[in-house]
Amino acid sequence: MTLPQSAICAETGDFAVFLTLTLVPGAERTVRAILAGFPDMVEAVAAEFAEPRLVGSVAIGAEAWPRLMGPKRPAGLVPFAPLADGDRFAPATPADLFVHIHSPRHDANFALARRLMARLGSGATVAEEIHGFKHKGGRDLTGFVDGTENPKGEDRPEVALVGDEDADFRGGSHVSIQRWVHGLTQWEGLPVPQQEGIIGRTKETDEELDDSVKPPSAHIARVVIEEDGEELEILRHSLPYGTTSDSGLYFVAYGRDPATFRKMLDAMVVADADGNYDRLMDFSRPVTGAAFFAPSKDLLRQA
């Protein structure tokens, strides 16, 4: 059995560390060996902190893949493509590696991140480091429950992990990340019914609005996409992050097919024939965007 990296299908922890890194030319062999040992590093820190729910994954971008893993690459692994329509823009930002660590304990996450970065040394530089946290039991900073439709239980690996359709990369997962900055002052100035129309759910009880009153520009109306009668799914590990001056949502999507996320993002950013786009983008904007592939533990360990 091909085992996925531990962060992918686990339930999202209360705290997370998200690292995007760039490779230093000439350090590829050293970095490759360190990545091969990352699953064992996760297990060692989990044992040290007596925290079995500490999990981690590392993913590799399209441009770094041949430098670290060889010429054969996962189907669909391409650089993140920016999107723009009007004043809505989803940028692409430089990143070769993505490290995702989460657990119920910030101290354990921090220790694992420090250990990895100490091992990498001058082989990779940090493009961005974000520390996420669970807010009010799973709500975004907008006050709405986040990830209501996320797959659960046995559905999680079915949605997230590559299968026989790309057999050489079975047990891996395509990863898309974006950091969204919320305009919370503007958002919090809206009446709750108006917020609910923008999201498409009730704020207090998290019930989906009836189609008769849910605007076609509502967030969930844009990102819920059906093909051949089936709803397309991604496995999200998004968490709020921030300081008193800058805050939002760190969005992480795992999937067996990267096209699913791209279709959702396109529906958010690009207006349809009737001029409808995701109205949430009037109050929140992505400032980063990158795509990666998280190989299975077995493939990763083949240094």
Side-chain angles (χ1 to χ4, degrees):
M1 179 180 178
T2 304
L3 295 175
Q5 294 187 65
S6 59
I8 299 172
C9 295
E11 293 294 331
T12 301
D14 293 336
F15 302 95
V17 175
F18 306 107
L19 296 169
T20 50
L21 311 174
T22 55
L23 280 172
V24 173
E28 288 83 0
R29 180 175 295 182
T30 299
V31 170
R32 178 68 187 90
I34 292 166
L35 298 185
F38 183 64
D40 294 329
M41 188 185 302
V42 175
E43 293 178 8
V45 177
E48 178 183 331
F49 279 77
E51 181 46 79
R53 292 167 292 180
L54 175 67
V55 292
S57 66
V58 63
I60 303 165
E63 294 179 358
W65 185 272
R67 296 165 60 190
L68 294 173
M69 303 295 289
K72 190 167 187 179
R73 69 175 64 201
L77 177 60
V78 296
F80 188 97
L83 268 177
D85 186 22
D87 58 0
R88 298 176 301 283
F89 181 50
T93 47
D96 293 320
L97 302 174
F98 172 61
V99 180
H100 179 198
I101 297 166
H102 63 91
S103 80
R105 294 177 56 178
H106 180 62
D107 59 345
N109 297 346
F110 181 64
L112 177 56
R114 284 194 67 226
R115 190 165 303 182
L116 175 62
M117 293 309 301
R119 290 286 310 278
L120 288 171
S122 60
T125 58
V126 176
E128 184 171 66
E129 176 175 343
I130 299 294
H131 294 223
F133 54 88
K134 193 165 283 188
H135 172 62
K136 291 186 175 180
R139 292 178 181 266
D140 180 48
L141 296 179
T142 59
F144 286 78
V145 174
D146 186 47
T148 301
E149 301 294 333
N150 225 17
K152 298 175 176 60
E154 295 180 357
D155 291 336
R156 293 169 77 84
E158 179 65 25
V159 168
L161 302 181
V162 170
D164 291 339
E165 71 275 10
D166 195 7
D168 287 339
F169 300 98
R170 187 188 294 109
S173 185
H174 291 273
V175 193
S176 300
I177 64 101
Q178 293 179 297
R179 181 168 65 86
W180 289 73
V181 176
H182 292 344
L184 288 178
T185 300
Q186 184 186 14
W187 175 261
E188 290 165 353
L190 297 177
V192 169
Q194 191 172 342
Q195 292 180 357
E196 292 176 337
I198 293 169
I199 299 296
R201 289 186 176 275
T202 59
K203 191 170 189 177
E204 181 65 28
T205 61
D206 191 37
E207 296 176 15
E208 185 172 349
L209 300 183
D210 188 87
D211 287 343
S212 63
V213 298
K214 181 172 56 185
S217 59
H219 176 63
I220 65 170
R222 303 302 296 169
V223 299
V224 174
I225 298 173
E226 291 189 1
E227 289 187 355
D228 302 323
E230 300 250 340
E231 184 178 328
L232 300 181
E233 292 186 281
I234 55 176
L235 176 56
R236 296 179 49 174
H237 277 289
S238 306
L239 283 176
Y241 74 91
T243 66
T244 56
S245 59
D246 180 60
S247 59
L249 183 76
Y250 199 94
F251 176 87
V252 181
Y254 288 95
R256 67 189 302 164
D257 183 353
T260 299
F261 164 73
R262 293 301 304 188
K263 291 174 182 177
M264 294 177 178
L265 184 62
D266 185 83
M268 293 177 68
V269 176
V270 180
D272 62 20
D274 296 317
N276 296 309
Y277 59 90
D278 190 339
R279 280 273 285 124
L280 185 58
M281 292 198 71
D282 291 341
F283 303 90
S284 185
R285 60 187 175 88
V287 295
T288 65
F292 311 88
F293 187 80
S296 68
K297 286 184 178 180
D298 309 72
L299 183 57
L300 193 62
R301 283 169 167 155
Q302 293 174 13

